[in-house]
Amino acid sequence: MISPRSFSEAVSRLVCGVFGAFSPRDYVAEEVYLGLSALQHRGQESAGVAWIDSDRRINVIKGMGLVYEALSQSVLAETPARSVIGHVRYSTAGGSMLQNAQPICANYAKGPVAVAHNGNLTNFDALRNTLENRGAIFQSTSDTEAILQLMAHQPRRSPFEALMRALAEVEGAYCLVVLMEEGLVAARDPWGFRPLSIGRRGDNYYVASESCAFSLLGASFVRDVEPGEVILIGSGGLKSYRLPVESGKKWLCSFEYVYFARPDSIIEGRSVYEARQEMGRRLAQSESVDGVDFVASFPDSGTTAALGFAAESGIPFEAAVVRNRYVGRTFIQPTQKVRELGVRIKLSPSPSLFKDRSAVLVDDSIVRGTTAGLVVSMIRECRARALHLRISSPPVRFPCFYGIDTPSSGDLAAAKYSLNDIAKTVGADSLRYLSASAMTDAIGLPPDSLCTACFDGNYLDGDSSSSPRGCCGKIFD
Ligand code: AMP
Ligand code: SF4
């Protein structure tokens, strides 16, 4: 079973973006570049693409930074590849290096293979021990490498069969796109932690972490990859397989709807925009707000919920905090000082809107409290009369072990302090959060199909109905 505590030592905690394209006749490397650009919000540390050339060799290009910095669109437009995968990696403190960029590639006994992974394997330590005892030498600290190593230890099976068997041994969160000579493979873990969608334009197939990546390519959303499903796309079209693993229930990450996914994506049939707006509406329903002049948001993360709050309460929305669009995310900067400076560079309140007025300020979440504290103090400098902070998700009290980089409990504001103390620390006149039930109602999926562990501490290892499995039981030849 999964042990969140031992896993907390693992090295790579990533929400990332994966993209794959297959065409029977067109070159698709440039489309992967465009697809990755649409998934840029899922990772800004590095980007990479991989394809298999006519000499059966795997090719990979990776670089640090945003997609346009790491990769050359014009080079990819000239690349003769009909099956290509790509990855954008989310930055984690201390782990920012090219060595951690994906896809991870190998030319092993059964041919070339490349893997791009979104999520976290929670039994990585056990897998690594078993594999090292069998002689494996790991090249990186990435849990994704365990999948390649598991494949390489089954030299009598085809790459696809070896991958299926490898996936039956891994636990935790994974959405994968894998390139092998048999075709383009996409796989989603049996719990369905992270989203993964299939798109199509004519005979061309696409697989993306989020459906927002398809419209840029003129492709239509076909459906989500099901939890526990593996699809193989080749010249014969798309074939679907099931992993031989039972999961007690689905564990789709509720935080994707709160913060991570792009609002124009559809996950499990639910529009992220609508879910987020509904969170704002339900937040407004939970109280009567008097004497407030306007609703404002922390852009962009709180804006959709703030619009819902304004619509429900009848209080006008003002774009009173301005976002500098030319600087990146601040959350994950390695030191608190840099993080604070990052918030100041990124967000700036309009003095003329706040002066002598009272506002409701909406953001999607409080993690360490850095953003809320700084924005409220900047608004105080504008001499606002009153500031009421409203958060469109429940308090984040527990770390995530399934691929979102939330810090350990010791750094989480709501794990350390009471709500009154958080309000005082950030300098707000009042602070309210959305309740857990209102959040799941707003998402609109059955509550038992969602992961809410960072809000309630209900981790997968408490899911007694998930089938427990040994490590690498019968897979080796
Ligand atoms: P903090 O400043 O540490 O309280 O972080 C909260 C801010 O970061 C909010 O404005 C969120 O929109 C954003 N945020 C929440 N979770 C994450 C995450 N896992 N990665 C990056 N940003 C986040
Ligand atoms: Fe998502 Fe939170 Fe679950 Fe992590 S713990 S998968 S962030 S809901």
Side-chain angles (χ1 to χ4, degrees):
M1 298 294 274
I2 291 166
S3 162
R5 276 139 300 275
S6 67
F7 179 67
S8 66
E9 307 307 324
V11 278
S12 54
R13 287 197 275 155
L14 319 170
V15 165
C16 300
V18 296
F19 193 90
F22 175 88
S23 172
R25 69 188 73 80
D26 306 330
Y27 294 153
V28 291
E30 186 181 15
E31 293 198 305
V32 172
Y33 175 96
L34 295 171
L36 291 178
S37 307
L39 299 175
Q40 188 76 80
H41 61 289
R42 296 187 75 84
Q44 302 93 46
E45 179 194 284
S46 63
V49 292
W51 68 95
I52 298 170
D53 66 22
S54 48
D55 294 331
R56 300 186 60 215
R57 293 211 68 80
I58 201 91
N59 290 260
V60 63
I61 305 178
K62 302 187 226 188
M64 298 304 289
L66 302 177
V67 173
Y68 80 91
E69 296 166 313
L71 305 171
S72 158
Q73 184 176 357
S74 53
V75 167
L76 293 173
E78 300 294 318
T79 300
R82 294 188 179 87
S83 185
V84 180
I85 63 169
H87 186 265
V88 283
R89 185 178 191 268
Y90 189 66
S91 169
T92 54
S96 181
M97 55 187 87
L98 191 57
Q99 188 199 344
N100 285 333
Q102 294 198 15
I104 296 185
C105 305
N107 284 296
Y108 83 113
K110 301 301 279 191
V113 57
V115 185
H117 172 202
N118 171 200
N120 256 113
L121 306 187
T122 47
N123 64 339
F124 172 58
D125 290 346
L127 290 172
R128 190 178 170 136
N129 273 342
T130 308
L131 286 160
E132 284 180 339
N133 286 335
R134 291 183 61 92
I137 299 171
F138 275 74
Q139 304 289 318
S140 73
T141 52
S142 158
D143 56 349
T144 312
E145 193 186 335
I147 296 169
L148 283 179
Q149 296 276 6
L150 284 168
M151 288 175 68
H153 278 74
Q154 307 171 69
R156 284 203 277 276
R157 298 197 173 97
S158 75
F160 183 73
E161 220 183 290
L163 176 69
M164 289 290 280
R165 295 226 176 196
L167 294 183
E169 298 299 325
V170 302
E171 290 182 345
Y174 60 86
C175 280
L176 302 175
V177 287
V178 184
L179 204 57
M180 52 181 68
E181 286 182 302
E182 285 149 291
L184 169 68
V185 181
R188 192 166 171 213
D189 66 67
W191 300 275
F193 278 103
R194 303 270 148 241
L196 190 64
S197 304
I198 306 168
R200 187 173 181 177
R201 194 189 63 235
D203 293 343
N204 291 8
Y205 280 99
Y206 305 93
V207 184
S209 289
E210 286 180 45
S211 61
C212 67
F214 300 139
S215 44
L216 181 62
L217 305 173
S220 318
F221 169 74
V222 177
R223 65 175 176 89
D224 292 326
V225 177
E226 292 289 313
E229 186 184 18
V230 180
I231 61 166
L232 173 62
I233 305 169
S235 36
L238 183 151
K239 286 187 198 135
S240 168
Y241 300 82
R242 300 292 314 173
L243 285 173
V245 178
E246 290 300 313
S247 67
K249 73 175 194 77
K250 290 186 190 171
W251 285 75
L252 176 60
C253 170
S254 52
F255 218 80
E256 292 276 352
Y257 292 97
V258 168
Y259 168 77
F260 225 89
R262 230 170 75 163
D264 53 337
S265 288
I266 312 273
I267 305 175
E268 284 287 316
R270 178 63 166 153
S271 145
V272 173
Y273 181 87
E274 284 171 19
R276 236 167 247 177
Q277 200 174 43
E278 191 58 27
M279 289 173 198
R281 283 184 181 277
R282 285 174 190 258
L283 195 52
Q285 280 164 9
S286 63
E287 60 178 320
S288 62
V289 197
D290 297 320
V292 171
D293 296 306
F294 64 94
V295 176
S297 70
F298 290 42
D300 296 319
S301 53
T303 302
T304 314
L307 289 169
F309 192 103
E312 184 68 27
S313 62
I315 304 169
F317 174 82
E318 299 272 15
V321 180
V322 177
R323 167 149 193 204
N324 180 339
R325 306 214 163 270
Y326 306 98
V327 290
R329 287 187 170 180
T330 47
F331 175 85
I332 221 78
Q333 302 289 340
T335 68
Q336 188 64 10
K337 203 169 162 196
V338 179
R339 224 179 269 129
E340 287 177 12
L341 186 65
V343 175
R344 281 188 179 274
I345 294 170
K346 195 173 77 176
L347 298 179
S348 146
S350 301
S352 59
L353 281 165
F354 281 107
K355 185 164 182 280
D356 297 329
R357 297 176 81 206
S358 146
V360 162
L361 269 174
V362 181
D363 200 7
D364 67 289
S365 56
I366 292 180
V367 181
R368 295 179 181 87
T370 313
T371 311
L374 285 166
V375 173
V376 169
S377 85
M378 286 191 280
I379 297 175
R380 291 278 179 215
E381 288 161 22
C382 303
R383 292 194 289 168
R385 188 154 40 85
L387 289 174
H388 303 284
L389 189 56
R390 297 294 179 264
I391 303 299
S392 59
S393 65
V396 176
R397 293 203 169 95
F398 301 89
C400 172
F401 301 100
Y402 310 123
I404 284 196
D405 191 54
T406 44
S408 60
S409 300
D411 290 327
L412 293 170
K416 289 193 297 188
Y417 306 115
S418 70
L419 299 198
N420 279 345
D421 286 345
I422 299 174
K424 263 191 227 142
T425 312
V426 301
D429 293 292
S430 70
L431 168 65
R432 288 223 172 88
Y433 286 86
L434 189 66
S435 72
S437 60
M439 177 186 74
T440 48
D441 287 350
I443 293 172
L445 297 173
D448 68 355
S449 67
L450 292 169
C451 176
T452 50
C454 52
F455 305 115
D456 58 18
N458 178 21
Y459 291 106
L460 182 58
D461 65 350
D463 179 15
S464 56
S465 50
S466 287
S467 61
R469 288 170 288 131
C471 185
C472 313
K474 299 185 195 99
I475 75 166
F476 298 128
D477 293 328

